[in-house]
Amino acid sequence: MANVVVVGAQWGDEGKGKIVDWLSERADVIARFQGGHNAGHTLVIDGKVYKLHALPSGVVRGGKLSVIGNGVVLDPWHLVDEIETVRAQGVEITPETLKIAENTPLILPIHGELDRARESQNAVAKIGTTGRGIGPAYEDKVGRRSVRVADLADEATLEARVARLLVHHDALRRGLGLPEVDRDALVKALKDIAPKILPYAAPVWKELNDRRRAGQRILFEGAQGALLDVDFGTYPFVTSSNVIAGQAATGTGIGPGAIDFVLGIVKAYTTRVGEGPFPTELFDEDGQRLGEKGHEFGTTTGRKRRCGWFDAVLVRQTCATSGVNGIALTKLDVLDGMETLKICTGYELDGEMLDYLPTAADKQARVKPVYESMKGWSESTAGARSWADLPGEAVKYVRRIEELIRCPVALLSTSPERDDTILVTDPFSD
């Protein structure tokens, strides 16, 4: 049976939540493979709005197994609060429907404190972090000093892990003018939260491989977008994990051969939250209109998103690095009523034409977009469920995007409602 990876192909906020929810009806398992609760997915189901951060989008669908993989960094206190919030909306979450990889690193309160302290004292350039401790938690993972989910089950191990962790963190905190950590209080907090987390702990790698052999379909869900990938994004204005599709394998413990289809989620224009280069950013009425009509505010932070024209160069690049087989194009309806649309087809840098975004930060900041103009449409595309429902100019716009990014459209989303979707290619088809 086909297994599908869903990745954001821009800077995040592409509408992955709705697409994952739409696809989850065809899947048996939905697995988160990277990121933390800095990401936010908004689902609209029968008029009810669900805002998810740590939980996989599949939790709102009954009869599915949701998985938090080892590639995620997990704030256990936030997770418990989020579970209670979703339960209050009528969603049942049990250890039978949600499993957390035992080797998942934990985000502790000291991670958020360090995150915020460093950002506030960064005199060179702010990264634009959410301040929720995701970066410092990944640093500790790589530094081999994390407290992981499995450590909560044994008191001696937990205390040893915390002791090792604080040798590093207390030194950092002294340098930042912060008080040293109250070790006893931190250990007590972890012991208190442990009974609420451990029932969900499981060898997720084994669960996924067993289910794959049994013929079940697995949907791998990423957070953020490929342009925020720590290796292939606009470094250093990136997240602290790998976001591209290859991370689905290492972030859950299933082999890359298990991945049958990579679906890239692409917004019909471009947005970005936080700092960093943005070649097609608009500062005029068109940019303001996109932001207002698209309700471009972050699910997690509420921050206003920067808006710009569609950048085919960047999407073509992320489709290559993630091995995207097809894209889901979202928010086409936001472009309704605009007389002229522009697509970035290349960059000009110091008199030279480029068909990719260079790696060097100074060059990324200096590239100038080369635009191709297209005629817009006055009719509404909102709620369209077939190609015949779309205005001719809208179809031309979509087809031109396919040509420029060298990747076909598999799905077309025309509103936040899950059924307002045009299916071209079913990613789960064998």
Side-chain angles (χ1 to χ4, degrees):
M1 305 294 281
N3 299 314
V4 177
V5 177
V6 174
V7 295
Q10 293 158 306
W11 276 294
D13 309 310
E14 302 97 346
K16 291 183 293 297
K18 172 200 166 168
I19 301 299
V20 170
D21 173 62
W22 192 87
L23 289 170
S24 67
E25 205 167 51
R26 295 162 170 76
D28 302 294
V29 183
I30 298 89
R32 269 284 305 271
F33 62 83
Q34 55 78 220
H37 64 301
N38 54 336
H41 292 165
T42 301
L43 309 180
V44 182
I45 302 171
D46 298 328
K48 184 177 288 189
V49 178
Y50 301 90
K51 293 184 181 292
L52 305 178
H53 301 274
L55 290 169
S57 296
V59 297
V60 298
R61 291 288 159 198
K64 313 290 181 182
L65 173 65
S66 291
V67 164
I68 295 176
N70 57 277
V72 172
V73 285
L74 183 67
D75 182 326
W77 296 276
H78 173 89
L79 178 66
V80 169
D81 289 343
E82 189 171 327
I83 287 173
E84 292 305 317
T85 298
V86 174
R87 277 178 177 157
Q89 292 184 278
V91 177
E92 183 181 7
I93 298 179
T94 70
E96 285 68 47
T97 61
L98 173 67
K99 295 188 184 297
I100 304 170
E102 295 170 318
N103 51 339
T104 300
L106 297 181
I107 302 173
L108 308 180
I110 60 174
H111 291 129
E113 293 169 10
L114 177 60
D115 205 356
R116 295 185 291 273
R118 289 197 301 206
E119 186 80 349
S120 67
Q121 296 185 28
N122 192 335
V124 180
K126 294 184 182 298
I127 299 299
T129 171
T130 60
R132 299 195 173 200
I134 281 73
Y138 274 117
E139 291 173 37
D140 284 341
K141 173 183 178 177
V142 176
R144 295 165 293 183
R145 53 181 173 264
S146 285
V147 177
R148 304 197 296 180
V149 170
D151 300 330
L152 297 175
D154 181 74
E155 186 172 321
T157 300
L158 179 61
E159 291 184 353
R161 292 283 189 270
V162 170
R164 176 179 172 83
L165 180 70
L166 296 191
V167 169
H168 175 80
H169 275 266
D170 281 339
L172 279 179
R173 292 169 72 92
R174 287 192 295 270
L176 290 167
L178 298 175
E180 293 188 359
V181 178
D182 185 332
R183 180 182 302 185
D184 293 340
L186 178 56
V187 170
K188 182 181 184 304
L190 286 166
K191 289 179 180 178
D192 289 344
I193 200 69
K196 299 179 180 179
I197 296 295
L198 287 173
Y200 301 100
V204 157
W205 66 270
K206 184 178 186 303
E207 183 82 29
L208 292 178
N209 280 280
D210 287 348
R211 287 178 177 255
R212 183 196 173 210
R213 281 195 297 271
Q216 293 193 12
R217 291 174 168 179
I218 304 171
L219 180 63
F220 298 92
E221 175 187 12
Q224 289 102 15
L227 293 173
L228 295 174
D229 185 274
V230 70
D231 286 310
F232 293 99
T234 49
Y235 191 91
F237 305 100
V238 293
T239 193
S240 299
S241 61
N242 286 112
V243 182
I244 59 176
Q247 177 65 16
T250 54
T252 60
I254 199 164
I259 298 170
D260 301 297
F261 193 98
V262 178
L263 181 69
I265 314 301
V266 179
K267 195 179 289 187
Y269 48 101
T270 311
T271 63
R272 176 166 201 170
V273 170
E275 309 296 326
F278 186 169
T280 65
E281 184 172 10
L282 294 171
F283 301 95
D284 56 10
E285 292 181 359
D286 286 330
Q288 183 176 349
R289 177 173 177 173
L290 289 173
E292 291 175 353
K293 192 168 181 181
H295 306 291
E296 296 297 350
F297 295 91
T299 301
T300 299
T301 63
R303 289 184 293 180
K304 184 178 180 181
R305 297 178 186 135
R306 301 153 65 189
C307 298
W309 295 119
F310 186 85
D311 192 329
V313 181
L314 289 180
V315 176
R316 182 171 63 242
Q317 194 163 320
T318 58
C319 284
T321 56
S322 271
V324 173
N325 301 105
I327 68 166
L329 192 66
T330 66
K331 288 199 165 186
L332 183 67
D333 55 302
V334 174
L335 302 180
D336 293 352
M338 300 189 78
E339 290 186 10
T340 302
L341 303 174
K342 293 183 179 180
I343 299 176
C344 175
T345 59
Y347 301 130
E348 185 272 324
L349 177 64
D350 301 334
E352 179 185 358
M353 292 300 300
L354 298 177
D355 62 355
Y356 67 98
L357 184 69
T359 299
D362 65 307
K363 293 181 179 180
Q364 290 181 351
R366 297 200 328 270
V367 296
K368 297 178 181 179
V370 176
Y371 287 118
E372 174 182 299
S373 296
M374 296 190 69
K375 183 180 178 182
W377 54 89
S378 57
E379 306 95 320
S380 173
T381 62
R385 298 186 181 183
S386 71
W387 287 107
D389 295 334
L390 296 176
E393 299 302 331
V395 174
K396 291 179 183 177
Y397 182 77
V398 174
R399 295 305 187 199
R400 184 56 178 150
I401 285 176
E402 289 181 313
E403 293 174 0
L404 290 170
I405 68 172
R406 301 170 188 164
C407 191
V409 169
L411 298 167
L412 186 64
S413 171
T414 55
S415 93
E417 290 291 341
R418 69 188 307 272
D419 291 330
D420 290 341
T421 305
I422 299 172
L423 176 64
V424 182
T425 302
D426 187 349
F428 276 119
S429 61
D430 297 327

